[in-house]
């Protein structure tokens, strides 16, 4: 199916497709639909650039790079290099981050401006009309990609005491003198470790038993222990009750742990307890789009909402809040909206994710918890970095890799890495799983030596060997 109303193209503000939100997901949808010949307009209430570039992945990874370097310098003695105590120039770091973000954003904005662009908050007036300020835009189809915002602070006394969220944490001109991080998800863990490495005494307070409560326990517990060893105080299984301010101005978090009331004080509190979808004020009800304030816009596998002519992608759908997911969803929605196709999103590999702590975390395919919950049988093997020659030579021995495979044929079902450069090391397994590889395939492929990534061959070989051994009696019986 081509553009729906080609004869009406000359009517002002009428397009084949209007994309609301020009972040990672919306921009991908707009580009994809335009490449297929659709006339596409973008709407965004700014600032232009999207969360990843402006207040997410890129600024956080810029800060973390400096934190990691400081840590390496502190530990240079392990590799026989004596250095003095490093000094962090936080103002220079903030300026470096600003400059890099500006460059990335400028590039993205140049791309956005190749579309007819309407700047301002969007509001659906009907299933085919969208108001942006004084302008009314028309289209038979829409993609909503309005992203998410920091969740409102829900702890009594926190708003009165004052706190920073991830937006503010990335924009500081000077580090706090001491910090309490509320929450042990990936944002709290990544930035909590950064602030600790930047010299800020840091305490993390979390409800779960370990950091990254959604991950397998060995991964989450392992990371929690490593961060503790590094000097971060981590209070687990802690129910935050309220926040108060002491006479000396220190902010106090009161929590209950092991049935006892406890407290911790610091100069600043970083509230890192999640995000909510941006659905307010969009007038989605006027477009027949069902949504929920906390879980966002419900979509089917083809990214269609309850109105089949309105698609939604990215964080606003409440699926996996990751850039590569937003982009994949955007591309699929763009193709489906432009052509009327019913292409489906497949999250088997897309839900691959990584966390930029040190050691890093990277997960592909199913976790053990998911396999167990689904009642799927699997074989598992792990291998520690402290027994891997290259990791030992580099002095980067924290963590392990593990692989899960089908006991029937050795097909790789999932893998997790807690270790150095996990975000890069996971890549060959994504490719292997994309092609349906088995552990036997993976073990047979040549791998360079000595490399960090060759560690993945050990669990693959171990499972392949167990399968081979198990098959021998069967072969004999035949
Ligand atoms: C601190 C932090 C670190 C992160 N690190 C990573 C990482 O390392 N890797 C990773 O994959 N993900 C990371 N993420 C998550 C990632 O940034 C998001 O999943 C992704 O950017 C979401 O893209 P999106 O297109 O859904 O939304 P966005 O990029 O947020 O785009 C939404 C757009 O919609 C516009 N908009 C909103 N409301 C309206 C309205 N009413 N009218 C018009 N326009 C509107 C906004 O201005 C915005 O431009 C991180 C997030 C945070 C907060």
């Amino acid at each position: 199916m081509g553009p729906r109303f080609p004869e009406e193209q000359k009517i002002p503000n009428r397009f084949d497709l209007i994309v609301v939100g020009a972040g990672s997901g919306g921009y991908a949808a707009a580009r994809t639909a335009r490449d297929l010949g659709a006339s596409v307009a973008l709407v965004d209430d700014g600032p232009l650039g999207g969360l990843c570039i402006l207040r997410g992945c890129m600024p956080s990874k810029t800060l973390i790079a400096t934190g990691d370097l400081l840590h390496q310098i502190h530990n240079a003695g392990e590799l026989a290099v004596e250095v003095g105590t490093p000094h962090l120039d936080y103002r220079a770091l903030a300026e470096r981050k600003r400059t890099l973000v500006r460059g990335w954003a400028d590039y993205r904005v140049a791309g956005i401006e190749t579309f007819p662009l309407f700047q301002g908050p969007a509001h659906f007036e009907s299933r085919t009309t969208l108001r942006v300020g004084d302008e009314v835009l028309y289209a038979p189809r829409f993609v909503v990609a309005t992203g998410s915002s920091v969740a409102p602070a829900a702890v009594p006394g926190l708003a009165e005491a004052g706190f920073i969220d991830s937006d503010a944490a990335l924009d500081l001109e000077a580090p706090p003198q001491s910090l309490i991080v509320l929450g042990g998800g990936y944002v709290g863990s990544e930035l909590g470790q950064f602030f600790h490495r930047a010299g800020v005494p840091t305490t993390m307070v979390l409800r779960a038993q370990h950091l990254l409560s959604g991950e397998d326990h060995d991964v989450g517990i392992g990371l929690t222990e490593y961060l503790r060893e590094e000097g971060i105080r981590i209070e687990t299984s802690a129910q935050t009750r309220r926040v108060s301010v002491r006479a000396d101005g220190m902010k106090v978090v009161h929590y209950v742990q092991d049935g006892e009331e406890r407290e911790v004080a610091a100069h600043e509190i970083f509230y890192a307890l999640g995000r909510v979808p941006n659905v307010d004020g969009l007038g989605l009800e006027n477009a027949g789009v069902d949504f929920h304030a906390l879980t966002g816009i419900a979509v089917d596998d083809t990214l269609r909402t309850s109105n089949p002519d309105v698609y939604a992608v990215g964080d606003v759908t409440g699926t996996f809040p990751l850039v590569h997911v937003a982009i994949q969803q955007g591309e699929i929605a763009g193709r489906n909206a432009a052509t009327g196709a019913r292409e489906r999103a497949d999250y088997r590999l897309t839900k691959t994710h990584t966390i930029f702590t040190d050691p890093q975390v990277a997960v592909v395919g199913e976790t053990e918890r998911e396999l167990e919950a689904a009642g799927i049988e699997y074989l598992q093997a792990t291998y520690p970095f402290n027994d891997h020659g290259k990791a030992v030579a580099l002095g980067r021995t924290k963590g392990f890799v593990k692989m899960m495979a089908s006991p029937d044929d050795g097909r790789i079902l999932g893998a997790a890495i807690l270790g150095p450069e996990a975000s890069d090391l996971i890549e060959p397994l994504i490719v292997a799983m994309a092609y349906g590889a088995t552990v036997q395939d993976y073990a047979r492929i040549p791998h360079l030596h000595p490399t960090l990534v060759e560690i993945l061959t050990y669990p693959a070989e171990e499972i392949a060997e167990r399968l081979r051994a198990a098959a021998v009696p069967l072969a004999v019986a035949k």
Side-chain angles (χ1 to χ4, degrees):
M1 191 193 302
R4 280 255 293 261
F5 298 132
E7 74 283 2
E8 295 171 7
Q9 290 298 306
K10 292 197 181 68
I11 298 174
N13 294 347
R14 184 181 289 280
F15 304 91
D16 296 325
L17 178 68
I18 295 173
V19 178
V20 185
S24 302
Y27 185 60
R31 279 201 319 183
T32 306
R34 184 175 63 183
D35 287 350
L36 290 165
S39 65
V40 182
L42 273 172
V43 179
D44 200 296
D45 66 351
L48 293 178
L51 177 67
C52 176
I53 291 173
L54 300 176
R55 299 183 309 274
C57 337
M58 302 313 285
S60 61
K61 268 79 251 183
T62 304
L63 298 186
I64 288 167
T66 292
D68 289 354
L69 179 60
L70 278 168
H71 182 73
Q72 284 163 27
I73 295 170
H74 278 298
N75 291 287
E78 196 186 329
L79 271 70
V81 179
E82 294 304 326
V83 286
T85 307
H87 165 71
L88 171 60
D89 180 346
Y90 206 95
R91 267 187 191 286
L93 171 59
E95 182 54 32
R96 175 172 191 263
K97 185 221 69 180
R98 254 195 308 277
T99 306
L100 293 179
V101 167
R102 201 178 306 127
W104 291 316
D106 285 351
Y107 183 75
R108 171 56 56 84
V109 171
I112 290 170
E113 287 176 348
T114 62
F115 291 86
L117 174 65
F118 298 86
Q119 288 187 261
H123 182 83
F124 281 96
E125 295 196 327
S126 74
R127 296 169 85 93
T128 52
T129 56
L130 186 81
R131 176 171 290 280
V132 185
D134 293 338
E135 308 246 32
V136 179
L137 319 183
Y138 307 85
R141 290 192 179 142
F142 294 84
V143 174
V144 180
T146 46
S148 60
S149 302
V150 171
V155 181
L158 183 59
E160 294 76 5
F163 64 95
I164 54 173
D165 57 22
S166 66
D167 293 354
L170 294 170
D171 267 349
L172 294 175
E173 288 297 316
Q177 284 175 264
S178 59
L179 184 68
I180 299 166
V181 181
L182 293 182
Y186 81 93
V187 171
S189 301
E190 287 183 2
L191 290 178
Q193 187 179 35
F194 159 71
F195 282 114
H196 164 75
R197 289 183 168 189
V200 179
T202 300
T203 302
M204 299 186 68
V205 178
L206 40 135
R207 204 174 17 226
Q209 291 170 314
H210 54 72
L211 297 172
L212 311 180
S213 60
E215 304 296 342
D216 279 345
H217 297 306
D218 51 358
V219 172
I221 290 172
L223 183 70
T224 307
E225 291 308 316
Y226 287 130
L227 265 54
R228 278 185 175 142
E229 277 171 23
E230 203 179 308
I232 302 175
R233 177 175 162 194
I234 304 177
E235 298 297 340
T236 53
S237 305
Q239 312 279 337
T240 298
R241 290 286 192 250
R242 66 189 173 91
V243 169
S244 63
V245 182
R246 272 195 334 221
D248 62 1
M250 296 287 275
K251 300 174 183 181
V252 185
V253 171
H254 303 261
Y255 59 95
V256 175
Q257 193 181 42
D258 301 329
E260 280 183 31
E261 299 226 355
R262 298 189 175 152
E263 61 182 54
V264 55
H267 292 81
E268 190 55 277
I269 295 173
F270 172 19
Y271 183 74
L273 278 166
R275 302 182 64 83
V276 288
N278 291 331
V279 287
D280 263 6
L282 282 169
L284 291 168
E285 52 289 343
N286 300 332
V289 173
D290 293 344
F291 66 98
H292 185 279
L294 293 180
T295 54
I297 301 176
V299 287
D300 66 14
D301 287 350
T302 67
L303 285 323
R304 288 197 317 194
T305 67
S306 53
N307 173 348
D309 288 321
V310 178
Y311 297 76
V313 304
D315 283 10
V316 77
T317 65
T319 43
F320 303 99
L322 296 162
V323 165
H324 64 275
V325 176
I327 292 173
Q328 188 213 27
Q329 290 180 329
E331 289 172 351
I332 292 172
R335 278 193 288 276
N336 287 349
T339 66
R342 299 295 311 275
E343 184 179 333
R344 291 173 184 280
D346 172 7
Y347 299 111
R348 189 178 64 95
L349 286 178
T350 321
K351 66 179 183 174
T352 297
H353 57 274
T354 187
I355 293 143
F356 292 87
T357 46
D358 178 21
Q360 294 181 352
V361 173
V363 179
V364 60
E366 307 300 317
T367 62
E368 287 193 74
R369 281 161 80 168
E370 287 167 341
L371 290 168
E372 278 157 21
I376 298 172
E377 285 190 32
Y378 64 95
L379 296 172
Q380 187 258 44
T382 64
Y383 202 87
F385 278 94
N386 66 12
D387 195 35
H388 180 45
K390 183 62 182 286
V392 173
L394 293 172
R396 304 191 69 189
T397 52
K398 290 177 181 168
F400 61 88
V401 296
K402 69 172 176 181
M403 209 177 277
M404 284 74 74
S406 164
D408 300 331
D409 55 7
R411 193 167 44 87
I412 302 171
L413 300 174
I417 304 174
L418 171 67
E421 314 302 339
S423 56
D424 288 317
L425 263 48
I426 200 80
E427 191 68 29
L429 285 180
I430 301 174
V431 177
M433 284 189 67
Y435 286 95
T438 62
V439 285
Q440 299 90 323
D441 295 329
Y442 200 84
R444 261 197 303 269
I445 294 168
H447 300 275
L448 294 180
H449 172 79
T451 58
L452 278 178
V453 73
E454 71 182 322
I455 190 174
L456 295 172
T457 58
Y458 306 137
E461 281 165 3
E462 185 185 322
I463 298 175
E465 177 54 29
R466 274 153 49 190
L467 284 167
R468 198 191 59 75
V472 171
L474 294 178
V476 171
K478 279 183 192 165

